[in-house]
Amino acid sequence: MANGGPEIEQLILLLARLPGLGPRSARRAVLQLIKKKEQLMIPLSAALDRAVAAVTVCETCGNVDTRSPCHICADPRRDNGLLIVVEDVADLWALERAGVGAVKYHVLGGVLSPLDGVGPDDLSIDALLRRGPEFSEIVLAVNATVEGQTTAHYITDRLAPSGVKITRLAHGVPVGGELDYLDEGTLSQALKARTAL
Amino acid sequence: MANGGPEIEQLILLLARLPGLGPRSARRAVLQLIKKKEQLMIPLSAALDRAVAAVTVCETCGNVDTRSPCHICADPRRDNGLLIVVEDVADLWALERAGVGAVKYHVLGGVLSPLDGVGPDDLSIDALLRRGPEFSEIVLAVNATVEGQTTAHYITDRLAPSGVKITRLAHGVPVGGELDYLDEGTLSQALKARTAL
Ligand SMILES: [Zn+2]
Ligand SMILES: [Zn+2]
């Protein structure tokens, strides 16, 4: 039976689909929203409305922002020195939080995974091949998983004819670990000690 | 620095205030929302708009619903047999999910807690004293915490002159446990084996 009517039930169902929230925590979240209607529910509703209207994907790098090119691609203090290639936007955000400097990014949108039917055409690899050679160095900051490393090898092979310098993050990223869960010091160190591929 | 502009940053900050979500999971939730804009973000935005407009608190029992009296108080299949007194709406919902039958509820809105400055006037106790004697039995389904049990004793004393039968949930609720985290079978059993106070 619906708790408190269809509007509330619908809100619980949708919140339960967010990562980190199950049905039980979604119910608690909805009660918290209702309890703090003025301070939390109405502002969240307005913030979502604004985000729905404003959010877009950067056509240059794949970052999520409210404009394209995004504020990173458009930042005049960032030159074409380092291009950091990441699997997804969460990794880009993690590196930005680590304060890795005046770099630019390229979001692949995933990793090669033949078993899941993900091939080169499903990722933003062609765009990387066009864009990458404009930079002095490309850092392949993919996750230390089998698929991540397979993807790194594939990109290295495809970029080799251009002669651009390609590096990877230093070891220090735990094997099998995901960038987004690392502390910012580790990420920063791993970038400083990056090695040539 | 803001990730992806102020609209996105604001959404992360607000989501991080929901129970069960911290800053890191809020960022993941926002990326998930953006990735599934059509299937998740827009429906969630619409659901929140509708809930903000519709949600109210039942003037009779304190339940959260889209009408007052709520669908439980207005349900003609529920008579004035059992009145179950709970601390908050999450407990009411947990009992409803357990399918405890054609009962009615009274939400206290908390428990007595002198250290936190919560006295009888801060809870819905006067309303319970007026409403309770209309029922054949009042079940005090407060949490098995010190404050919950203190609150149960206080209510028992105040209701004694009315002569209404007062019971509590059977032991089976773990000491220190919170109703909302119990499985539905345990809750159902605890209600069936309720004992007189
Ligand atoms: Zn960009
Ligand atoms: Zn009600």
Side-chain angles (χ1 to χ4, degrees):
Chain A
M1 197 203 57
N3 286 315
E7 289 88 351
I8 295 172
E9 199 64 18
Q10 180 67 8
L11 195 52
I12 293 170
L13 286 174
L14 287 166
L15 281 175
R17 289 174 54 196
L18 293 180
L21 285 179
R24 191 150 294 205
S25 46
R27 283 193 296 267
R28 301 205 144 232
V30 167
L31 284 172
Q32 179 80 349
L33 284 171
I34 292 167
K35 198 179 270 181
K36 305 203 169 178
K37 190 171 172 181
E38 302 299 325
Q39 312 99 295
L40 190 52
M41 192 181 198
I42 291 175
L44 180 61
S45 177
L48 261 174
D49 288 344
R50 283 194 301 269
V52 164
V55 164
T56 188
V57 171
C58 174
E59 288 171 66
T60 306
C61 75
N63 187 19
V64 155
D65 203 333
T66 48
R67 52 190 173 133
S68 175
C70 70
H71 74 283
I72 291 176
C73 288
D75 183 350
R77 288 163 305 180
R78 299 183 191 239
D79 57 20
N80 279 7
L82 281 195
L83 180 68
I84 305 190
V85 177
V86 292
E87 291 180 19
D88 58 39
V89 176
D91 299 328
L92 186 164
W93 288 3
L95 285 158
E96 280 293 291
R97 286 197 303 281
V100 294
V103 303
K104 290 186 179 175
Y105 298 94
H106 191 85
V107 179
L108 291 174
V111 278
L112 294 176
S113 177
L115 287 177
D116 299 320
V118 180
D121 291 344
D122 301 308
L123 305 178
S124 176
I125 287 181
D126 280 344
L128 174 61
L129 296 179
R130 282 192 300 275
R131 188 185 174 212
E134 297 164 14
F135 289 78
S136 12
E137 180 179 340
I138 298 177
V139 186
L140 299 180
V142 291
N143 288 326
T145 56
V146 174
E147 290 87 356
Q149 297 311 304
T150 305
T151 308
H153 284 299
Y154 178 83
I155 291 173
T156 304
D157 288 347
R158 294 290 305 276
L159 277 169
S162 75
V164 65
K165 182 179 179 189
I166 305 174
T167 55
R168 61 164 172 75
L169 291 183
H171 278 302
V173 179
V175 174
E178 307 226 307
L179 290 193
D180 191 33
Y181 283 100
L182 291 182
D183 69 280
E184 283 127 31
T186 306
L187 276 174
S188 227
Q189 287 297 325
L191 182 71
K192 278 197 200 111
R194 65 191 181 273
T195 58
L197 280 180
Chain B
M1 200 202 56
N3 285 316
E7 290 87 351
I8 296 173
E9 199 64 17
Q10 180 66 8
L11 195 53
I12 293 171
L13 286 174
L14 287 165
L15 281 174
R17 290 174 54 196
L18 294 180
L21 286 178
R24 191 150 292 203
S25 45
R27 280 193 296 266
R28 298 204 147 234
V30 166
L31 284 172
Q32 179 81 347
L33 284 170
I34 292 168
K35 199 180 266 179
K36 304 202 168 176
K37 189 170 172 180
E38 300 300 324
Q39 313 99 294
L40 190 52
M41 193 181 198
I42 291 174
L44 180 61
S45 177
L48 261 174
D49 287 345
R50 283 194 300 270
V52 164
V55 164
T56 187
V57 171
C58 174
E59 288 170 66
T60 306
C61 75
N63 187 16
V64 156
D65 203 335
T66 48
R67 53 193 173 131
S68 174
C70 71
H71 74 282
I72 291 176
C73 288
D75 183 351
R77 290 163 304 180
R78 300 183 190 236
D79 58 19
N80 281 7
L82 281 195
L83 180 68
I84 305 190
V85 178
V86 293
E87 291 180 20
D88 58 39
V89 175
D91 299 328
L92 185 164
W93 287 3
L95 286 158
E96 280 294 290
R97 286 198 303 279
V100 294
V103 304
K104 290 186 180 175
Y105 298 94
H106 191 85
V107 179
L108 292 174
V111 278
L112 295 176
S113 177
L115 286 178
D116 299 319
V118 181
D121 292 344
D122 301 308
L123 305 177
S124 177
I125 287 181
D126 281 344
L128 174 61
L129 296 179
R130 284 193 299 276
R131 186 183 175 212
E134 297 164 15
F135 289 79
S136 13
E137 181 180 340
I138 298 177
V139 186
L140 299 179
V142 289
N143 288 326
T145 55
V146 173
E147 289 87 357
Q149 297 311 304
T150 304
T151 309
H153 284 300
Y154 178 85
I155 292 173
T156 305
D157 288 347
R158 295 289 307 274
L159 277 168
S162 75
V164 64
K165 182 180 178 188
I166 305 173
T167 56
R168 60 163 173 77
L169 292 183
H171 279 301
V173 178
V175 173
E178 306 228 310
L179 290 191
D180 190 32
Y181 284 99
L182 290 180
D183 69 282
E184 282 129 29
T186 306
L187 275 174
S188 229
Q189 288 297 323
L191 183 71
K192 278 195 200 112
R194 65 190 182 275
T195 58
L197 282 180

